[in-house]
Structures are given as structure tokens and as C-alpha cells.
Amino acid sequence: MASAQSTPSNRRLTAKGAATRERIVSTASDLMYAQGVERTSLDDVVEASGTGRSQLYHYFADKNELIGEVVNTQIDRVIATQEPLLERLDSMRGFERWRNAVVAGNRSRRGMHGCPLGSLASELADHSERARETLATGFDVWESLFVDGLRRMQENGELGMDADPAALAKGLMAALQGGLLLAQVKRDAECLAVALDMALAQIRTHTERVTARRR
């Protein structure tokens, strides 16, 4: 997703330089997730990462460039977390296990901070077209994991061929994001649990039709 233009942030780096740059981006990602993009200053990043301001400007021209890397990093983090639960998903039970893991993680935080991608989207989507497009691509990758799982369910005969995996996946993503937002506001993971249960219930209707036809 990075630009091909030669800038301090993407020139070939030494191992030490790459490690320093990664530390800056990782620290900025953590801070912006916890306290928001607008409220996170470059001074905050410098202090928390243990780097100098001159080092930060060596790798990033300005805060906007750093934000771009934070967006990419958060997408990578989310997909890395989601893939183990979703990459081999091929049953309703698999979706239920994913749901339980997501709700448990949210409950452990009392709903705080919401979705890393959703939080960035709420701050950046209307102000940076580049960030919006990158986040949209990230959501598409995430959503494709749902689509692939639903298609595997169709292949193994658990989900009816009349079901639309793309539409069901889109509904599930919407339920996930809405549930995470409400859980964040209300500090109550039950909001997320209910939203996901309703989306999964819609998917389950298509599995029940298959079962009914076999009787």
C-alpha cells in the first residue's frame, strides 16, 4: 500500500534504522488507538518510543505521513489477529467460536477503544481520501475472510447455494463494527454479543433450510 516514491520512510534502511522506524510506527499505532489520532502529538510519539525528534523526521516528513503508516500497521495487526480464527472457517460452529473469541476480548477491555480500524475511520475517513481508501481496502480484506468461510460452507453442503456470501459477510461486518462502537460507548460487551448473534442468526437461517430439505 506504500507509495513507490522515494521518501525517507521507504528508502532502503539499515537493520538499526528499520528497527527504529518500526518502533516509531508501533508506538504511534498504540498511542493513536488508545487516545485518538488528533490527541496524539509527535512529541508524544517521540517520548513514548524513546527516539529523538530528528530521528522521527528522518523517517517521516510530517504527522500525516506517519498516520499513513499507522493505518497500514493497524490493518496488518487486525488481519493477523483475525486470520487464525477465520482462514479455515467452514462451519456455523466455526463462526460461533470466532464470535465467542471476539466478544471475550471486547469484554476483557470493557468495550474500550473499539475496533482499531473503525476508530481510525471515524477520525480520518472524512478528512483524508488516501486514508479512507486504505482503510476501505483493509475492511475488504477482513470481509473477504468471512466470504471465503461462507463459500466453504456452501462447498461442504452446510450453507445453501441460494445464500449470498458477499451480502452475508457485509451484514456480519456491519454488525461487528456497530456492536464494537456501542460496546465502546456503553462500556458493555453485551452490545457486541447481541449484534453478532443477530447477524449469525441470519446466516443460520440458510443452514436450517438445507437441513429442512434433507428431511
Side-chain angles (χ1 to χ4, degrees):
M1 296 179 185
S3 168
Q5 182 181 359
S6 179
T7 68
S9 65
N10 59 22
R11 292 172 190 155
R12 187 177 297 277
L13 301 175
T14 64
K16 183 177 179 181
T20 299
R21 184 178 185 279
E22 173 59 28
R23 187 165 73 253
I24 292 170
V25 174
S26 180
T27 300
S29 298
D30 292 341
L31 289 174
M32 289 180 186
Y33 179 45
Q35 60 192 35
V37 174
E38 184 65 29
R39 293 184 60 190
T40 299
S41 68
L42 292 181
D43 286 337
D44 291 335
V45 176
V46 166
E47 181 178 357
S49 64
T51 56
R53 198 172 179 87
S54 62
Q55 285 179 297
L56 187 148
Y57 279 115
H58 176 71
Y59 299 109
F60 303 99
D62 52 29
K63 184 177 179 181
N64 284 335
E65 188 174 333
L66 177 58
I67 290 170
E69 288 303 306
V70 166
V71 171
N72 288 327
T73 294
Q74 292 293 46
I75 290 172
D76 290 343
R77 286 178 175 181
V78 167
I79 299 304
T81 300
Q82 291 291 304
E83 274 186 328
L85 290 167
L86 296 172
E87 63 183 352
R88 296 182 181 177
L89 184 139
D90 62 358
S91 68
M92 200 69 232
R93 180 57 188 144
F95 271 108
E96 290 165 355
R97 284 194 294 268
W98 166 80
R99 173 266 188 209
N100 292 342
V102 170
V103 171
N106 187 260
R107 184 169 286 126
S108 71
R109 303 189 304 274
R110 293 186 58 247
M112 291 181 65
H113 307 311
C115 172
L117 302 192
S119 296
L120 287 171
S122 67
E123 288 196 73
L124 300 174
D126 291 337
H127 305 288
S128 169
E129 183 63 12
R130 182 178 179 182
R132 185 198 66 75
E133 290 178 349
T134 303
L135 285 163
T137 299
F139 277 116
D140 286 344
V141 172
W142 191 355
E143 199 171 295
S144 73
L145 297 174
F146 297 147
V147 173
D148 290 345
L150 291 164
R151 285 177 177 160
R152 284 191 288 270
M153 287 174 64
Q154 286 182 320
E155 290 167 3
N156 67 28
E158 183 173 353
L159 184 68
M161 296 304 294
D162 58 335
D164 183 346
L168 291 173
K170 197 176 298 293
L172 183 55
M173 179 61 75
L176 172 62
Q177 293 303 314
L180 286 168
L181 177 60
L182 287 175
Q184 180 182 9
V185 171
K186 296 191 175 185
R187 294 291 189 266
D188 184 1
E190 189 63 18
C191 297
L192 174 61
V194 170
L196 291 180
D197 286 345
M198 293 184 72
L200 292 183
Q202 180 61 29
I203 297 173
R204 195 174 290 108
T205 62
H206 293 279
T207 68
E208 291 170 349
R209 290 173 192 169
V210 172
T211 302
R213 290 192 200 108
R214 291 173 178 168
R215 289 174 182 167

